[in-house]
Amino acid sequence: MSSMYGEWLKAQRDAAGLTQQELADAAIMTRSHIAHIEAGRRIPSKEDARRLDRALNTGNVLSSFLPQEDVAVADYFEAARQLEQQATVISEFALSYVPGILQTEAYARAVLQVSFPPRSEEECDRLVVTRLGRANVLEDPVTPVVSVLLDESVLRRPIGGPAVMAEQIDHLLHLVESTRIRVHVLPFGLGAHSLLLGMLTLMWFEDQPPAAYSEGTFMGKLYDSPSLVQRLQGTYDQALGDALPRRESAALMTAIAEDYRHA
């Protein structure tokens, strides 16, 4: 995203003598939304930009010169990707793949190279760059708080081969040891559990209701109904209660990584 756009917006707000909250009130937006735009983390919608122009008396500058994001994601994931960058708390469940914000470059490339029709090398490169860019949310040492629930199949399926898997699991363990994320594993021995139908992401925010995202083959769904998000949260919590404790999860991950190194 363009930081120049956000810097220009901040300059106009300062010139008008407005705080972020005062501009948010005038433009019928939230203060955190303004903060994300000014920091270059988000681009406003066309309607948001028009409201900002009206509030700041800047003609149609903000709506006419919206920067274009150089991102490559499936259309159905774009809304969830934007929310992911704003969340203060993220809870992930993965059934097949390591969650995108936690993938290494080699692992991401191995995942993205498997498609029909086959992707060109250039397209795959763009997708990898976008996926790795999503991990920027982890650069802040505190926010978002990230909890991860992994089905053991995520660790056992040798995506990209043993070396790629060993590196990927080591990356997860490093994030766990640095206390940046929490990881719990649902072991094979558990049998059935409440999240076997697919992946799930739950997100909470500073100033808006929580949301959930689930995904299948060539489709994804974003949920914002409070009652449905609450139900999905309950399903996640039920599965979390069946998972291995943190230390046992880390020990299992370490053992699996060692197996890959000796494969």
Side-chain angles (χ1 to χ4, degrees):
M1 298 181 185
S2 173
S3 60
M4 291 181 62
Y5 185 92
E7 290 168 2
W8 195 85
L9 171 61
K10 183 179 185 303
Q12 299 308 306
R13 177 177 61 77
D14 289 341
L18 299 175
T19 66
Q20 287 182 341
Q21 186 60 61
E22 288 169 340
L23 176 57
D25 292 341
I28 318 175
M29 296 166 64
T30 64
R31 185 207 60 77
S32 66
H33 192 172
I34 300 294
H36 283 304
I37 296 169
E38 290 187 354
R41 293 189 295 267
R42 190 174 182 189
I43 294 172
S45 67
K46 290 183 179 180
E47 180 56 33
D48 285 343
R50 281 193 286 267
R51 288 200 295 267
L52 288 168
D53 273 328
R54 288 196 295 268
L56 292 168
N57 196 28
T58 50
N60 63 353
V61 176
L62 288 163
S63 53
S64 296
F65 295 97
L66 280 171
Q68 298 299 311
E69 291 186 89
D70 184 20
V71 297
V73 295
D75 291 343
Y76 54 76
F77 179 66
E78 175 56 21
R81 186 191 69 82
Q82 291 194 22
L83 290 176
E84 179 183 72
Q85 301 299 305
Q86 304 168 48
T88 56
V89 179
I90 299 175
S91 294
E92 296 268 15
F93 166 69
L95 181 64
S96 303
Y97 298 118
V98 171
I101 61 173
L102 304 176
Q103 291 180 7
T104 64
E105 180 176 354
Y107 184 94
R109 190 171 298 277
V111 170
L112 293 167
Q113 283 176 338
V114 180
S115 67
F116 182 85
R119 295 186 174 102
S120 68
E121 185 174 348
E122 181 181 358
E123 182 183 6
C124 192
D125 286 343
R126 290 185 65 238
L127 290 165
V128 169
V129 168
T130 298
R131 183 158 299 185
L132 296 180
R134 289 169 53 199
N136 291 339
V137 298
L138 300 176
E139 291 180 358
D140 186 302
V142 178
T143 304
V145 176
V146 178
S147 299
V148 184
L149 189 55
L150 298 177
D151 191 275
E152 188 175 342
S153 59
V154 174
L155 305 171
R156 296 289 186 185
R157 188 179 298 279
I159 291 173
V164 170
M165 285 303 300
E167 178 190 43
Q168 175 64 74
I169 295 173
D170 285 344
H171 176 61
L172 293 174
L173 287 168
H174 169 72
L175 291 171
V176 168
E177 290 163 2
S178 67
T179 69
R180 186 60 190 85
I181 68 173
R182 296 174 65 100
V183 175
H184 294 270
V185 178
L186 286 159
F188 281 145
L190 173 65
H193 59 75
S194 58
L195 289 172
L196 271 177
L197 291 178
M199 65 80 67
L200 175 66
T201 301
L202 298 162
M203 295 172 282
W204 288 261
F205 309 90
E206 178 185 342
D207 56 3
Q208 57 184 307
Y213 176 76
S214 64
E215 188 172 292
T217 304
F218 303 131
M219 64 184 69
K221 178 68 175 177
L222 187 64
Y223 304 93
D224 56 10
S225 164
S227 60
L228 185 52
V229 172
Q230 183 177 23
R231 181 178 177 185
L232 291 169
Q233 173 67 59
T235 304
Y236 184 96
D237 290 343
Q238 184 180 60
L240 181 60
D242 290 331
L244 296 175
R246 277 190 306 156
R247 290 184 179 178
E248 291 181 33
S249 294
L252 177 60
M253 291 165 63
T254 300
I256 294 173
E258 285 301 309
D259 289 343
Y260 281 125
R261 269 187 278 275
H262 292 98

